Amino acid sequence: MAETEINVITHLLKIESEASSLIKEAQEEANKRVSEARSKADNEYKSSFDSIIQNLENEYNLEIQRLNQENQDKLEEYRQHVLQTEQNTEVFNKLFKKLLEEI
């Protein structure tokens, strides 16, 4: 009977060892899958993030160009207005002479 008990205990230890090996393999597989999933998610996030950043930079650059053109147009409009304004040198000279006399 002692031999039977030893055989049963040996058999149970063998099954426990196999179960431990299966659990270890399952844990390694789970870790591998989690790592792959994390890597895939990180790559997708980075790709999406880079795409959004690129779009925002493009919009920013287009807006800067638009504003620069708008400023140039306004500046040119003002310049043309100043050039087309009639200059009254006679009145200016009188005012200038008067100011110089007051000094």
Side-chain angles (χ1 to χ4, degrees):
M1 181 145 163
E3 187 177 321
T4 305
E5 291 175 356
I6 292 175
N7 288 342
V8 168
I9 292 173
T10 304
H11 180 68
L12 290 175
L13 289 173
K14 181 180 174 188
I15 290 174
E16 182 183 1
S17 176
E18 290 174 3
S20 177
S21 294
L22 286 175
I23 290 173
K24 182 180 176 187
E25 289 174 14
Q27 185 63 47
E28 288 173 354
E29 182 65 23
N31 290 342
K32 178 183 169 187
R33 289 182 184 186
V34 167
S35 178
E36 289 172 355
R38 181 176 289 127
S39 177
K40 181 180 177 185
D42 286 347
N43 288 338
E44 288 174 1
Y45 173 81
K46 183 178 182 331
S47 176
S48 177
F49 181 81
D50 289 345
S51 176
I52 291 169
I53 292 298
Q54 186 64 43
N55 288 338
L56 289 174
E57 284 180 353
N58 289 341
E59 289 176 16
Y60 170 79
N61 289 330
L62 288 173
E63 185 66 10
I64 292 295
Q65 289 175 354
R66 186 188 70 76
L67 290 173
N68 283 338
Q69 185 61 48
E70 184 179 314
N71 287 339
Q72 289 296 327
D73 292 346
K74 286 181 180 179
L75 186 59
E76 182 59 28
E77 181 182 328
Y78 177 74
R79 187 174 142 331
Q80 290 300 322
H81 176 73
V82 168
L83 289 174
Q84 292 173 1
T85 303
E86 185 179 327
Q87 296 181 6
N88 191 339
T89 56
E90 184 179 329
V91 173
F92 176 77
N93 288 337
K94 284 181 185 178
L95 176 63
F96 189 65
K97 185 175 181 180
K98 181 181 174 189
L99 290 173
L100 285 176
E101 289 174 357
E102 290 178 7
I103 295 180

